[in-house]
């Protein structure tokens, strides 16, 4: 019998998604994009074996999360998860809990929403099993 995910499991998946998203890009100078493009343009391009290794590791993380999200939610579920997270962000902005007064703030909101959708996708099969008793299995073929 499969183990239940619980809030801790969802939170850990969300932290993993945040790590992948923020390590890939964020508005600070600490991200993969700012590392290989330190001045933000192609003329400052810097790429060697360490950058390639980090890029491949990030790509592996993205593929794992995105593939699991797509397989778990499907197209309609993915659209609904994006809509849910976007409307929640809008609600928080409208209530004054989030500030979207600069491009940097909007970027952070979009990055967090992206991680939230990936965490929902990584967790959805567990959530659906808890709610309905149905188990998802991958196609064998």
């Amino acid at each position: 019998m499969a183990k239940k995910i619980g809030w801790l499991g969802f939170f850990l998946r969300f932290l993993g998604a945040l790590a992948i998203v923020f390590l890939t890009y964020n508005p600070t100078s600490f991200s993969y994009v700012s590392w290989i493009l330190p001045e933000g343009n192609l003329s400052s391009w810097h790429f060697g074996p360490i950058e390639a290794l980090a890029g491949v590791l990030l790509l592996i993380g993205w593929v794992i999360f995105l593939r699991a999200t797509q397989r778990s939610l499907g197209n309609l579920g993915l659209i609904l998860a994006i809509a849910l997270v976007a409307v929640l962000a809008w609600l928080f902005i409208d209530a004054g809990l989030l500030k979207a007064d600069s491009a940097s703030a909007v970027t952070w909101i979009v990055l967090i929403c992206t991680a939230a959708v990936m965490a929902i996708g990584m967790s959805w099969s567990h959530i659906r099993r808890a709610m309905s008793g149905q188990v998802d299995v991958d196609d064998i073929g």
Side-chain angles (χ1 to χ4, degrees):
M1 183 152 139
K3 188 176 160 185
K4 291 185 178 182
I5 184 174
W7 285 105
L8 178 62
F10 178 80
F11 182 71
L12 291 173
R13 285 167 174 79
F14 182 61
L15 286 179
L18 282 174
I20 291 168
V21 170
F22 289 163
L23 287 172
T24 302
Y25 176 77
N26 65 67
T28 71
S29 61
F30 184 74
S31 73
Y32 183 73
V33 171
S34 63
W35 183 28
I36 63 171
L37 296 171
E39 295 173 21
N41 58 45
L42 289 178
S43 65
S44 65
W45 176 263
H46 174 69
F47 199 77
I50 298 296
E51 292 84 359
L53 176 62
V56 169
L57 291 173
L58 280 172
L59 184 60
I60 290 168
W62 276 102
V63 168
I64 289 169
F65 269 79
L66 292 177
R67 183 160 166 80
T69 298
Q70 175 60 38
R71 290 184 67 83
S72 178
L73 295 176
N75 292 332
L76 179 59
L78 187 56
I79 291 168
L80 291 172
I82 291 168
L84 173 67
V85 170
V87 169
L88 285 173
W90 181 17
L91 176 68
F92 292 156
I93 291 167
D94 195 53
L97 299 172
L98 287 176
K99 301 282 186 216
D101 53 357
S102 68
S104 178
V106 172
T107 301
W108 283 107
I109 291 168
V110 168
L111 293 173
I112 292 168
C113 288
T114 300
V117 169
M118 292 185 347
I120 291 167
M122 287 290 286
S123 305
W124 185 247
S125 291
H126 297 283
I127 295 166
R128 180 179 21 218
R129 183 182 63 239
M131 290 180 355
S132 69
Q134 296 175 348
V135 177
D136 291 340
V137 293
D138 289 338
D139 297 330
I140 299 174

